Amino acid sequence: MAKAPVLTPQADDFPRWYQDLINKAELADNGPVRGTMVIRPYGYGLWERMQQELDARIKDAGAQNAYFPLFIPQSYLTREAEHVEGFAPELAVVTHGGGKELEEPVVVRPTSETIVNEYFSKWVQSYRDLPLLINQWANVVRWEMRPRVFLRTTEFLWQEGHTAHATYEDARDYAARIHKEVYADFMVNVLGIDVVLGRKTASERFAGAINTLTLEGMMGDGKALQMGTSHELGQNFAKAFNTQYLSRDGKQELVWQTSWGASTRMVGGLIMSHGDDSGLRVPPRLAPVQVVVLAIKGDDAVLAKVRDIGERLAAAGVRVQVDDRTDTPFGRRAVDWELKGVPVRIEVGPRDLENGTAMLARRIPGGKEPVALDALAALLPGVLEEDQALLLRQSRERRESRTTDVSTIGAAVETAVAGGWARIPWADLGEEGEARLAEHAVTVRCLVAEDGSVPDTDDAPGNVAVVARAY
């Protein structure tokens, strides 16, 4: 009788495979309130590495970290009409506290544009205070009707940037800088996901923005996942909160603003972009553990050697963990590390010691080969970089092979329903065609220029709509 697979095969049921992997790789559990999640240590380790990499890029772009309250007076949200309308269905509102009804209900933070502007209006006095570049790492609450762990949860973790500028051009350029130098650089060069950079259509923009830039990744089943967004807010919130500055000419002027964010949804994107039927495959540049050194048996010499290897690799700058839990069967431990997607396993047993070698197992391309113990420290950095490049190449090849240029709405729907992306001229689709796509649970993920760059306007000549089903 054939042994049952550890995970539901992707080809049989991709959503079930995703849930199986989250459970078996010990990434997260469902929380006690519908739509919430408990992130387990290994899953949180992935998020911590994402935080570290993003935070460094955000600071390189000149932003500083701050923190704003979780509770926001309900009246703040009502000041910007489009913003409150866009978020109203998702709000969690507190009406009682300390056993008493509150004088004014407070909203549990869905995003912080309103409360940030309340303080920007106090902090910004003159052109000398600009640009003001702030980021915060926080949790937010958006009441989710169809939750999925990491992808859509009522509470999730993220970073949200908020900036104020003296001119429209400065704000526009900064939003584009975050889009490209922070998010795209991280997602391509660390996550190994080949994202498409584009511009959201008017109907898909962030509530209260004049423009939204997005990064869309193709998942293993061909659906799209919005991985991060950067918004030009214009002066909409500045008007609502009277966020002004004294210009060099001595005039009171409204600031121009941006906001931008990426969340724990990226963990879901990592799973669905790189995972296979054996579990996760974590890009080496991201991996909390790049190499695990396993003792096959509890032999004293073996245990001493795996610990020695661990120390040598750590000294060489490799993020390494030694697994000397020989009271747990080796096969079970190997499967567990495979599920978790650690890029490299180094397996050492008595026979390996006799031969002066270790078995090197590579999770990303697969396969095993014996390697001289003395060669490990010099060999591994190159192996890790090869595997990083392979994941990005596979992500790009999947997107390119499953993207089709079409000229009709019917062909766009057919392509998306079949599990691919369609590219159709925006001039042939338009807002009316976009509404027709929605009838088939298909959306315009973004607009790109003919050459694949980000267009300056929605109706720029040659704009192409990227159409897909999405998470």
Side-chain angles (χ1 to χ4, degrees):
M1 183 175 179
K3 188 177 180 180
V6 176
L7 303 174
T8 300
Q10 290 185 355
D12 291 353
D13 188 336
F14 195 85
R16 173 54 57 189
W17 165 84
Y18 176 80
Q19 194 59 52
D20 282 354
L21 179 48
I22 286 173
N23 293 334
K24 295 290 178 64
E26 299 180 337
L27 300 179
D29 273 328
N30 290 314
V33 176
R34 185 177 183 274
T36 62
M37 62 177 170
V38 175
I39 306 176
R40 300 185 67 176
Y42 190 72
Y44 199 82
L46 294 171
W47 174 240
E48 283 183 312
R49 287 285 303 135
M50 293 180 183
Q51 284 182 300
Q52 291 163 13
E53 293 284 348
L54 276 175
D55 197 61
R57 288 164 173 78
I58 289 168
K59 287 171 179 169
D60 284 346
Q64 295 179 297
N65 286 336
Y67 186 78
F68 293 84
L70 174 67
F71 297 119
I72 302 172
Q74 192 172 44
S75 59
Y76 284 17
L77 272 77
T78 61
R79 295 190 205 177
E80 212 291 324
E82 186 179 347
H83 188 67
V84 70
E85 181 181 353
F87 279 99
E90 300 176 322
L91 296 180
V93 182
V94 179
T95 59
H96 289 72
K100 297 179 181 180
E101 185 172 355
L102 302 179
E103 290 184 11
E104 178 185 355
V106 297
V107 172
V108 182
R109 173 175 53 217
T111 180
S112 298
E113 279 76 10
T114 57
I115 195 166
V116 165
N117 264 278
E118 176 72 13
Y119 288 87
F120 275 16
S121 66
K122 297 178 181 179
W123 298 343
V124 175
Q125 301 298 322
S126 84
Y127 67 90
R128 297 182 184 88
D129 300 320
L130 298 173
L132 180 56
L133 313 174
I134 296 293
N135 177 64
Q136 79 164 341
W137 291 94
N139 61 337
V140 292
V141 171
R142 299 178 185 176
W143 215 259
E144 182 57 55
M145 296 296 103
R146 296 180 299 277
R148 294 192 69 185
V149 173
F150 289 122
L151 300 177
R152 292 188 177 276
T153 49
T154 296
E155 179 192 13
F156 55 90
L157 306 179
W158 76 345
Q159 59 73 213
E160 51 176 317
H162 301 274
T163 70
H165 304 260
T167 66
Y168 160 73
E169 291 79 11
D170 194 36
R172 177 201 62 197
D173 293 348
Y174 195 77
R177 180 180 180 184
I178 293 293
H179 187 225
K180 184 176 181 181
E181 295 181 16
V182 175
Y183 293 152
D185 182 72
F186 166 71
M187 291 169 192
V188 172
N189 294 317
V190 179
L191 290 188
I193 297 177
D194 177 60
V195 289
V196 170
L197 282 67
R199 179 185 183 100
K200 285 291 189 184
T201 61
S203 66
E204 293 287 331
R205 261 181 225 143
F206 177 75
I210 62 171
N211 181 33
T212 290
L213 304 174
T214 185
L215 302 99
E216 304 286 329
M218 179 183 280
M219 302 296 100
D221 61 352
K223 288 185 179 180
L225 184 71
Q226 179 181 290
M227 300 285 290
T229 48
S230 183
H231 315 290
E232 296 173 44
L233 301 180
Q235 295 180 310
N236 291 341
F237 290 91
K239 291 174 184 175
F241 288 83
N242 198 31
T243 311
Q244 300 185 71
Y245 71 98
L246 187 67
S247 72
R248 291 178 185 271
D249 299 329
K251 297 179 181 179
Q252 288 291 327
E253 304 279 357
L254 291 170
V255 300
W256 296 83
Q257 293 184 269
T258 77
S259 68
W260 25 277
S263 75
T264 38
R265 170 178 282 204
M266 292 188 297
V267 179
L270 172 73
I271 296 167
M272 295 192 297
S273 183
H274 297 319
D276 62 19
D277 286 347
S278 296
L280 274 174
R281 294 190 303 163
V282 182
R285 292 181 188 171
L286 177 76
V289 179
Q290 296 174 310
V291 176
V292 60
V293 187
L294 289 93
I296 295 176
K297 291 186 176 180
D299 179 284
D300 287 345
V302 169
L303 294 174
K305 178 51 70 174
V306 297
R307 291 163 187 161
D308 175 65
I309 293 171
E311 291 172 1
R312 289 174 180 271
L313 294 182
V318 175
R319 294 189 291 277
V320 61
Q321 182 167 329
V322 172
D323 185 346
D324 54 8
R325 302 168 297 158
T326 53
D327 54 343
T328 299
F330 168 75
R332 177 177 171 180
R333 288 183 287 135
V335 169
D336 285 346
W337 288 115
E338 190 166 63
L339 281 165
K340 287 179 166 61
V342 171
V344 172
R345 299 194 314 273
I346 297 171
E347 302 169 355
V348 182
R351 187 173 301 174
D352 299 297
L353 285 188
E354 292 176 6
N355 297 330
T357 62
M359 191 61 71
L360 188 147
R362 294 170 66 174
R363 176 68 183 90
I364 291 164
K368 288 186 177 186
E369 62 176 330
V371 174
L373 291 171
D374 293 342
L376 285 171
L379 177 70
L380 282 171
V383 166
L384 294 171
E385 282 302 297
E386 285 178 14
D387 292 353
Q388 179 80 31
L390 176 60
L391 283 177
L392 178 60
R393 186 164 66 250
Q394 290 175 342
S395 176
R396 180 171 295 127
E397 289 171 353
R398 176 174 61 237
R399 180 184 62 80
E400 290 177 346
S401 67
R402 297 174 73 169
T403 298
T404 305
D405 287 310
V406 301
S407 57
T408 67
I409 295 172
V413 169
E414 184 178 349
T415 299
V417 170
W421 289 10
R423 286 167 38 99
I424 182 171
W426 178 241
D428 294 343
L429 184 66
E431 293 181 0
E432 182 179 340
E434 186 177 16
R436 288 173 58 189
L437 291 177
E439 297 171 4
H440 302 275
V442 175
T443 56
V444 175
R445 303 314 305 157
C446 62
L447 300 174
V448 298
E450 257 183 321
D451 62 2
S453 63
V454 181
D456 293 329
T457 62
D458 290 6
D459 56 358
N463 275 1
V464 176
V466 177
V467 173
R469 283 192 163 172
Y471 286 96

